[in-house]
Amino acid sequence: MVWTEFNSRLRPFGPRWRTGLTKDEYMKDDMMAQGVRLTMKDQARVYYMFDRYMTMKHSFRQYDDIDVAACIRDAIAAFPKVDKLYVDEVQDFSPSQLMVLLSTCWDPDGVTMAGDTCQTINAGSAFSFKDIMIAFREGFAERSCYDAASKAQLRFLHYNYRCAAGVAFWANSVTSLLLERFPHCADRIEEETLCQQLVELPLIVHLEGLADYGDALNGTGMRRQVALDMQAATILVRSNEMREQLHREGVEGTILTIPEAKGLEFDLVVICGLFSSSLNSDMLGALADDDSEESQLAAFAADDGPGQGAFLQLNAAFYALTSAIHELKLLYTGITRARSGCVLLECCPRRDSWLRLVHRWQQANLVEWIDDAEAYRVCSESDCRSRVRCAGSPSARCQSADVEKAGSASSSSSSEVSLGPAEISMREWLEAELEARTGRVHQKARKVACGTLDQAVARTSAGSWLFVLDLHDC
C-alpha cells in the first residue's frame, strides 16, 4: 500500500513524476492510488515516510525505478522519435515509465495503449485510464499538439473474446465482488458474454486428505504419471516457492507464476494452492459474505465522500481489508488465462477462511465444487467424459455420481473399493475436461466473437488519435 503511494500517487503522471509532489499537493486529495481513502493523519505519515525515503536514497546515492526511467528519458532525448507507439498491459507500468514511453512518439495520432486495471498485480502500480488520458493530453499540449491530443478517445471492449462462457462468467463474478467492495480500485466495464447456453462450469477441487499436490496432479502407485501433458494443461501458482514445491513433489510440465502468465492464454489452466498460500484468505471469505461486518465496513467506506472521514474511526480495520484487492485481482488474472477450462485445486487441511467465497459462486451456479477424495475418484474414472459433458446442471452431476458409486459398489463385492490417494489420478480427468471444453459450442462462440471483433476493429479504424482500450479479459 505504501509503496504504491510512493510510485503512483506521490510521483504521478505529469510534471511531478521525477521529483514527487509537495506535502500540500499530496494532502489535497485523500484518495489513495489503490482507490481507498486515507485519514489526514495517515496521509501525513505516508508523506513523512516518502520524504525520509527520498532523503536516504539521495544520501546513499541509490536509484529506484523512477530514477532509472528519468535516466532513460535523458539518454534518449537526442534520438529521433518514433511514428507509432503501442503499449500493452499498460496497467502494470508505473506513471513514470509511461511518461517516458509517451515522450518517444512525436505523433499523438500514433499512440495506442491497452490494458485492464482489474489485472493490476505489479507492486507499485495503481491508476485509472482517466489518469492516462489526462497525462497524454497534457504531455502533447506541451509540444504544441493540443488540438490533436484533445481528440483522444477512451474505448471499452465489452466482450470477452478469449474465454469460454463458463470461465468468463466466473471471472466476471470476481471483478463484480472487487468493484462492489472497492468501487475506486479499478475501471468499471459492463461486460457481456457471447455464449450463455450449454455452459461448462469451471471446477474447484479440494482434497484435504492428500499429502501434497504431486499426488493430486500425477496420481500415486500404479496409476502415477511421469509428467502432466503440457499440451493438456498449464499450472499456475502464486510464487516461485510454490513452483519449486511442485517440482519437489514430482510435478513436471508448464508451471508458471500468475505474473509470468500475464498476456498468455492456455486451453486448460490449473491454479494450484492460491488460497492456501495466501495470508489474506480470511479477508476474501469475509468480503464474499454480504452480511459480514467486513462487507458492511467496506460498503460504509465506499459511500464516504472526500474529506468527510466518516469511517476513519474504523480506519485500522478497513485498511486490513484492502489486502483483498490484490488477492482478487490475482485470482481474476489467473482465471482469465484459460481459454476453455479452469480448475482451482487446493490440498490444504483448512478451508473455513475461503469457503464462503466458494459458496457465493455455488449459489450463483458459477462453479462445480468437488470436496473430497470420493467425489474426486468418481471424476477420475475413465468414463468421466460423459459425466463432464453433462455438467451443466447440479442435478445431472449428482445423478451421474450416484450411478457411478452404485456401479462401483455392485462390482466390488469380493474386494473393498479404496478411496485413498492410491486411486486418485488427475490425468484422465484433465483430458476429459479439455475435450469437454473445446467442443462445437466454443468453436461456434469463437466464430461469433470473430465477427463481433471485426465490427469493433472497423469502428475503431473509422476514427484516429489515441485509442486507449480498457480490455477486460483480453
Side-chain angles (χ1 to χ4, degrees), residues 111-392:
V111 178
T112 303
M113 294 186 176
D116 179 3
T117 51
C118 283
Q119 295 185 34
T120 304
I121 58 177
N122 187 40
S125 297
F127 49 81
S128 68
F129 274 81
K130 180 181 177 180
D131 297 329
I132 300 177
M133 291 282 287
I134 294 173
F136 173 83
R137 289 169 176 166
E138 291 179 350
F140 279 97
E142 294 176 356
R143 296 184 242 170
S144 301
C145 300
Y146 180 78
D147 290 340
S150 64
K151 299 175 183 178
Q153 302 178 39
L154 179 62
R155 298 292 181 90
F156 297 95
L157 184 63
H158 294 280
Y159 291 94
N160 185 326
Y161 295 101
R162 168 186 293 154
C163 304
V167 177
F169 287 141
W170 187 24
N172 291 347
S173 73
V174 175
T175 56
S176 296
L177 177 61
L178 173 68
L179 293 170
E180 182 179 340
R181 301 295 184 252
F182 308 100
H184 306 292
C185 74
D187 295 290
R188 184 183 296 273
I189 293 180
E190 298 300 327
E191 187 172 313
E192 301 178 35
T193 304
L194 294 174
C195 178
Q196 299 186 8
Q197 298 179 347
L198 300 176
V199 173
E200 293 288 352
L201 301 181
L203 296 159
I204 301 179
V205 182
H206 177 250
L207 303 174
E208 186 173 342
L210 285 185
D212 54 44
Y213 289 93
D215 289 346
L217 290 165
N218 290 338
T220 60
M222 297 295 293
R223 300 185 67 180
R224 187 172 183 84
Q225 304 294 326
V226 177
L228 194 66
D229 186 356
M230 290 184 290
Q231 295 182 348
T234 296
I235 301 171
L236 300 185
V237 295
R238 175 185 297 274
S239 63
N240 189 54
E241 289 75 17
M242 184 63 179
R243 173 165 47 200
E244 292 175 352
Q245 175 185 332
L246 293 181
H247 284 318
R248 289 194 299 269
E249 294 171 358
V251 179
E252 299 295 338
T254 304
I255 306 176
L256 302 172
T257 65
I258 293 177
E260 289 172 347
K262 285 293 296 293
L264 304 177
E265 56 185 57
F266 313 94
D267 284 335
L268 183 62
V269 167
V270 181
I271 305 174
C272 283
L274 188 64
F275 289 150
S276 56
S277 61
S278 171
L279 299 177
N280 305 301
S281 57
D282 290 339
M283 294 299 176
L284 291 179
L287 290 172
D289 185 353
D290 293 333
D291 298 325
S292 68
E293 294 182 4
E294 291 82 359
S295 294
Q296 298 300 318
L297 177 57
F300 187 57
D303 290 339
D304 190 21
Q308 297 177 10
F311 80 97
L312 300 183
Q313 58 183 339
L314 303 172
N315 65 311
F318 177 70
Y319 291 158
L321 293 180
T322 60
S323 61
I325 294 177
H326 178 74
E327 294 297 318
L328 289 171
K329 288 186 176 183
L330 195 68
L331 174 61
Y332 172 73
T333 303
I335 293 173
T336 53
R337 299 311 94 202
R339 282 193 295 255
S340 302
C342 188
V343 182
L344 186 62
L345 174 63
E346 294 288 343
C347 295
C348 57
R350 284 192 60 205
R351 65 178 190 276
D352 296 341
S353 58
W354 47 271
L355 191 58
R356 283 185 285 182
L357 184 57
V358 177
H359 285 167
R360 182 185 181 93
W361 292 329
Q362 280 188 293
Q363 290 172 359
N365 196 31
L366 294 172
V367 299
E368 181 179 356
W369 169 239
I370 301 175
D371 189 30
D372 55 27
E374 181 177 355
Y376 180 74
R377 186 184 69 82
V378 171
C379 294
S380 301
E381 294 296 331
S382 58
D383 58 346
C384 69
R385 297 174 187 271
S386 59
R387 188 200 72 86
V388 173
R389 289 195 185 95
C390 66

Side-chain angles (χ1 to χ4, degrees), residues 8-61:
S8 297
R9 268 279 283 127
L10 282 158
R11 291 179 286 185
F13 292 103
R16 290 287 192 176
W17 70 270
R18 288 192 188 218
T19 59
L21 299 178
T22 66
K23 184 176 181 179
D24 290 340
E25 290 170 333
Y26 178 60
M27 298 292 288
K28 287 180 181 179
D29 188 356
D30 62 355
M31 182 70 74
M32 294 179 59
Q34 287 188 326
V36 297
R37 299 195 183 280
L38 282 168
T39 68
M40 185 176 296
K41 183 177 180 180
D42 287 335
Q43 267 192 291
R45 288 173 175 172
V46 170
Y47 192 85
Y48 171 77
M49 287 187 285
F50 175 69
D51 185 60
R52 291 284 296 165
Y53 168 76
M54 297 291 282
T55 301
M56 292 176 62
K57 183 163 62 76
H58 179 73
S59 299
F60 290 101
R61 297 183 179 181

